[in-house]
Amino acid sequence: MQRWRGLEDIPEGWGRSVVTIGSYDGVHRGHQLIIRHAVDRAHELGIPAVVVTFDPHPSEVVRPGSHPPLLAPHHTRAELMAELGVDAVLILPFTTEFSKLSAADFVVKVLVDKLHAKAVVEGPNFRFGHKAAGNVEFLVEQGKVYDFEVEVVDLFVRGEAGGGEPFSSTLTRRLVAEGDMAGAREILGRPHRVEGVVVRGAQRGRELGFPTANVETLPHTAIPADGVYAGYLHAQGEVMPAAISVGTNPQFDGTERTVEAYAIDRLGLDLYGLHVAVDFLAYVRGQAKFDSLDALLEQMAEDVKRCRELVAAENA
């Protein structure tokens, strides 16, 4: 799959394509419906399928300081899109200048002049252009002028998550913030993942017999509620069952919020400086401060036992 950072990266002579546009944060099951439809339509027409997305999130430019927590970084979204059969991802730098581009100019400069859209696939609530003035109806009218079809796909999937709310990135962020890993997983179709580089922390886990990988997460990452979770640590191509702690470490009067993963039953791991990923499977308990170090150690042993059981049940 090709990845383009800006319109100038699109190869010369790029032909007709099927296009879908959106932030697609998390590439959740609703997003997957739209993207798969675009890919299927592209196969029918014998042309490539292209996803257009933005960096940073448009809200950060339109309303500085309002950048939402991200469910997946762009490289992960691209990998998920590639698995769905997408041929190219175009990441447009969302600048103040770009935010002022009218919906009509966006159609011409992006869809017509550069991607030569034959079909555009979107959800019913799609908005674009300056002040989100463009909608599906406007896109249909533009398609008549510039010779492209517009196909609308209902992206709203419902399940138990959020009490039956339609699946969305907003709902998923809320569930992650609440520590509802089962709900987030239902929407995403996979466990919620956090990525980053392993850095040196206070190394108390090592002293206590539970050495953890202290993950310096990527900017704007959606981090689950404080507490202990069962999950996996991905490092150097290996997937290891893990007990994961999120929080400020109140036992030692910590103030900085961290994500730390203990690879269960693994000794002698040296992960410093490596980029790793942590998958959150299930919430185990909330963050707590104990009366003594012995009480903390007893609880940590119990946490690891519970996490081992939850991961084993996942693989049963």
Side-chain angles (χ1 to χ4, degrees):
M1 186 186 73
Q2 298 189 49
R3 304 184 193 192
W4 306 323
R5 273 272 180 186
L7 295 174
E8 63 280 358
D9 277 1
I10 299 172
E12 287 292 329
W14 182 259
R16 304 300 296 269
S17 56
V18 175
V19 182
T20 183
I21 309 155
S23 291
Y24 288 128
D25 183 24
V27 193
H28 61 65
R29 288 170 57 194
H31 295 152
Q32 291 168 28
L33 289 178
I34 298 177
I35 294 170
R36 282 199 183 100
H37 186 95
V39 168
D40 289 345
R41 189 72 182 108
H43 286 167
E44 289 171 9
L45 295 169
I47 56 179
V50 180
V51 174
V52 178
T53 188
F54 309 97
D55 186 33
H57 194 284
S59 67
E60 180 63 19
V61 175
V62 177
R63 296 178 301 279
S66 67
H67 198 303
L70 295 179
L71 299 167
H74 279 291
H75 69 266
T76 301
R77 290 183 225 177
E79 290 164 7
L80 293 166
M81 291 170 183
E83 290 173 7
L84 294 171
V86 171
D87 297 289
V89 172
L90 168 61
I91 301 173
L92 291 174
F94 201 90
T95 61
T96 301
E97 182 182 359
F98 187 85
S99 72
K100 295 174 181 176
L101 197 66
S102 70
D105 284 344
F106 181 94
V107 168
V108 173
K109 292 184 177 183
V110 179
L111 295 179
V112 179
D113 289 350
K114 286 292 186 176
L115 294 176
H116 309 292
K118 176 67 177 172
V120 180
V121 180
E122 295 299 339
N125 296 333
F126 174 63
R127 306 296 296 241
F128 69 105
H130 185 50
K131 295 187 176 179
N135 57 17
V136 169
E137 290 75 19
F138 176 77
L139 203 54
V140 169
E141 292 304 314
Q142 293 291 289
K144 293 174 183 175
V145 175
Y146 295 108
D147 184 33
F148 60 80
E149 309 163 11
V150 176
E151 300 185 24
V152 180
V153 178
D154 185 356
L155 78 164
F156 294 122
V157 182
R158 294 175 185 269
E160 296 180 8
E165 286 185 42
F167 290 175
S168 68
S169 298
T170 301
L171 173 59
T172 312
R173 292 184 192 111
R174 191 184 87 206
L175 296 175
V176 168
E178 292 171 354
D180 185 351
M181 295 299 101
R185 182 176 186 170
E186 183 186 9
I187 299 173
L188 293 169
R190 63 186 186 280
H192 176 59
R193 173 173 291 186
V194 166
E195 298 181 40
V197 174
V198 178
V199 297
R200 293 190 183 276
Q203 297 190 306
R204 292 195 185 95
R206 188 175 302 278
E207 295 167 5
L208 298 173
F210 298 95
T212 60
N214 188 343
V215 183
E216 187 174 66
T217 55
L218 300 174
H220 305 297
T221 294
I223 297 175
D226 290 355
V228 175
Y229 299 83
Y232 294 104
L233 174 63
H234 298 251
Q236 295 180 304
E238 192 173 357
V239 183
M240 297 167 275
I244 307 153
S245 173
V246 178
T248 57
N249 205 340
Q251 192 71 30
F252 300 97
D253 299 320
T255 56
E256 185 178 348
R257 200 159 179 254
T258 60
V259 175
E260 300 180 57
Y262 166 63
I264 298 173
D265 301 327
R266 292 298 300 271
L267 300 174
L269 282 176
D270 183 4
L271 303 177
Y272 291 122
L274 296 180
H275 185 97
V276 302
V278 178
D279 286 346
F280 291 81
L281 289 181
Y283 177 84
V284 174
R285 67 169 175 87
Q287 184 176 245
K289 186 172 184 176
F290 297 87
D291 294 334
S292 68
L293 193 57
D294 285 344
L296 170 63
L297 287 169
E298 186 177 335
Q299 183 60 58
M300 289 173 73
E302 185 61 35
D303 292 341
V304 170
K305 178 185 175 185
R306 180 62 180 144
C307 289
R308 188 187 288 112
E309 291 171 350
L310 287 167
V311 173
E314 172 81 12
N315 295 317

